[in-house]
Amino acid sequence: MTPAQRLEHIFRGDLVDVVPFALKGWRIPQCEDERRLRNDGMAILDMAAVYRTHSPNVEVETCGYVQDGIGYQRRVVRTPVGSLASIHRPLGGPQVERTTWLVDPPFKSPDDYAVLEFMMQDRQYEPCYDVFAAAVAAMGGEAMFKTGAPGCALHTVIYSFMGPERFAIEWAERRDRVLQLCAAMAHNEQVIYEIVAGSPALLVQCGGNYAPEMLGRERFAEHVLPHWDAVAAVLHEGGKQLGCHLDANNAVWAAEIGAAPLDWIEAFTPAPDTDMTLAQARAAWPGKTQFINFPSSVHLQPAEEIAATTRQLLREAAPGDRFVIGITENVPENCWRESFRTILDTLNHEGRLPLSC
């Protein structure tokens, strides 16, 4: 059984030979050490698109510049009803997950609601199943692939359009306009889920990074949970598995997650890095595949501590069904060789399924 096949069997609920160890994407250089890890069972859960987005009436201009030795991008979005400008700082490199830090959000004043709503309503979508199929074929069975779809609209408004401080003001003073924008986004994105449901992908990650310190339990219940319900109704009809990236503190809404129609959870990070242990998560979320993130802080510890943490995770995950020990965050360059080898060897030697307590 290949590592990719082992992963797929786990997501389908089968009890395989050993608990898989898998990277979310290509997080380390493709080198001799990486090849040895994959030869010994380390899997890759990669991502490929199944739909394209077009905005026929929107123009985007991006200009890069350097200030104080730091690279930035200034992005200007032009529409028939106005323009928006934002500043982003790209982070990450070719061998780690790339992301951007929103330095200056596009939303500056209430006048910008009209521009954002036009942008959202102008978006059109079409399938690109060939892109997904080509990515799978190119890897020749060396990786399993998931695909992505939008998360909760309110979360996008907070982190991509306004930023936390501006959002707090708008939520207090113009909540109806925020909700109107969210409704326009959700209406436009409905077609995406129909496209994804007909795609060749099995796993669908719909957003994530929901932090209780910012979103709060009430907004989570009023916006995230209905989003999951609506999306699951479409994806399950197409035989897809709905997942979400939940790497923050989850204790406050653990019961709601357990009752939600999620099939799998990506990046749950056990204590000591968050407010839940793996044992608590396994008890709260039965029947859901957990592709966890090995606690990031432990990578900095000696090999003996890394192995001990791996054994503890195995004890808490027993009997080991629907469970993957993963790496979903970037790991320091000076740590991964020893850390990944230690985790993988411990799983291969002590992670035989079914696990005993």
Side-chain angles (χ1 to χ4, degrees):
M1 181 180 296
T2 68
Q5 290 171 333
R6 185 178 291 115
L7 264 189
E8 181 171 348
H9 277 287
I10 285 289
F11 278 103
R12 292 189 183 278
D14 302 330
L15 206 61
V16 294
D17 50 353
V18 297
V19 172
F21 176 55
L23 307 189
K24 175 198 164 193
W26 297 92
R27 295 181 172 272
I28 56 177
Q30 294 181 9
C31 58
E32 186 175 355
D33 288 330
E34 177 262 358
R35 183 69 262 182
R36 286 199 188 103
L37 287 167
R38 290 204 284 133
N39 286 343
D40 291 340
M42 185 181 75
I44 305 293
L45 180 61
D46 215 336
M47 189 168 188
V50 297
Y51 69 92
R52 297 187 183 92
T53 303
H54 303 282
S55 297
N57 301 297
V58 174
E59 296 181 358
V60 180
E61 178 183 324
T62 302
C63 178
Y65 66 96
V66 177
Q67 181 177 318
D68 298 328
I70 299 174
Y72 295 92
Q73 291 180 345
R74 185 173 187 271
R75 189 176 304 162
V76 179
V77 180
R78 297 185 176 88
T79 80
V81 298
S83 300
L84 298 176
S86 57
I87 297 176
H88 308 255
R89 180 186 174 189
L91 301 172
Q95 299 299 341
V96 297
E97 185 174 42
R98 297 185 181 187
T99 186
T100 58
W101 184 261
L102 183 59
V103 178
D104 182 31
F107 186 94
K108 305 292 194 301
S109 77
D111 294 338
D112 294 333
Y113 280 111
V115 183
L116 287 172
E117 287 176 356
F118 183 91
M119 287 169 52
M120 295 301 101
Q121 294 167 344
D122 190 57
R123 290 181 176 176
Q124 301 175 11
Y125 310 97
E126 65 179 19
C128 62
Y129 301 159
D130 58 322
V131 172
F132 187 91
V136 173
M139 286 306 302
E142 291 273 320
M144 183 181 181
F145 281 80
K146 64 177 179 177
T147 196
C152 169
L154 183 67
H155 191 261
T156 302
V157 170
I158 296 173
Y159 288 98
S160 299
F161 296 159
M162 294 183 176
E165 183 176 352
R166 187 75 221 189
F167 169 76
I169 296 171
E170 294 302 309
W171 190 252
E173 298 183 358
R174 282 169 288 274
R175 187 174 304 187
D176 58 330
R177 292 295 285 117
V178 176
L179 295 177
Q180 183 178 326
L181 173 59
C182 290
M185 295 171 62
H187 178 75
N188 172 268
E189 291 168 351
Q190 286 178 1
V191 66
I192 293 177
Y193 302 106
E194 297 289 349
I195 294 173
V196 173
S199 77
L202 171 66
L203 305 181
V204 184
Q205 179 198 324
C206 290
N209 291 310
Y210 301 130
E213 297 82 0
M214 185 63 214
L215 193 59
R217 186 175 186 177
E218 181 179 344
R219 285 192 289 262
F220 181 85
E222 293 180 354
H223 295 272
V224 176
L225 296 180
H227 170 72
W228 285 344
D229 287 339
V231 173
V234 179
L235 295 187
H236 288 168
E237 185 69 22
K240 310 307 176 191
Q241 294 190 10
L242 170 63
C244 191
H245 186 97
L246 298 175
D247 61 345
N249 291 322
N250 288 292
V252 68
W253 46 50
E256 288 83 352
I257 293 173
L262 292 177
D263 302 292
W264 62 286
I265 296 169
E266 178 184 273
F268 166 72
T269 304
D273 290 10
T274 67
D275 60 0
M276 289 181 70
T277 65
L278 177 59
Q280 290 170 329
R282 296 284 282 179
W285 306 330
K288 303 184 191 302
T289 301
Q290 293 178 27
F291 183 94
I292 74 165
N293 176 53
F294 188 88
S296 297
S297 62
V298 182
H299 292 296
L300 302 174
Q301 302 303 314
E304 294 78 8
E305 182 64 28
I306 295 170
T309 298
T310 306
R311 295 187 190 100
Q312 179 64 30
L313 293 174
L314 291 175
R315 285 191 291 270
E316 296 185 23
D321 58 309
R322 296 188 178 277
F323 178 62
V324 180
I325 291 185
I327 305 295
T328 70
E329 308 295 338
N330 296 333
V331 177
E333 170 62 25
N334 65 323
C335 293
W336 69 263
R337 286 174 172 82
E338 179 178 62
S339 180
F340 290 8
R341 171 52 65 183
T342 301
I343 296 168
L344 180 62
D345 286 351
T346 304
L347 291 180
N348 285 342
H349 292 140
E350 304 179 43
R352 308 293 301 185
L353 294 173
L355 300 170
S356 58
C357 297

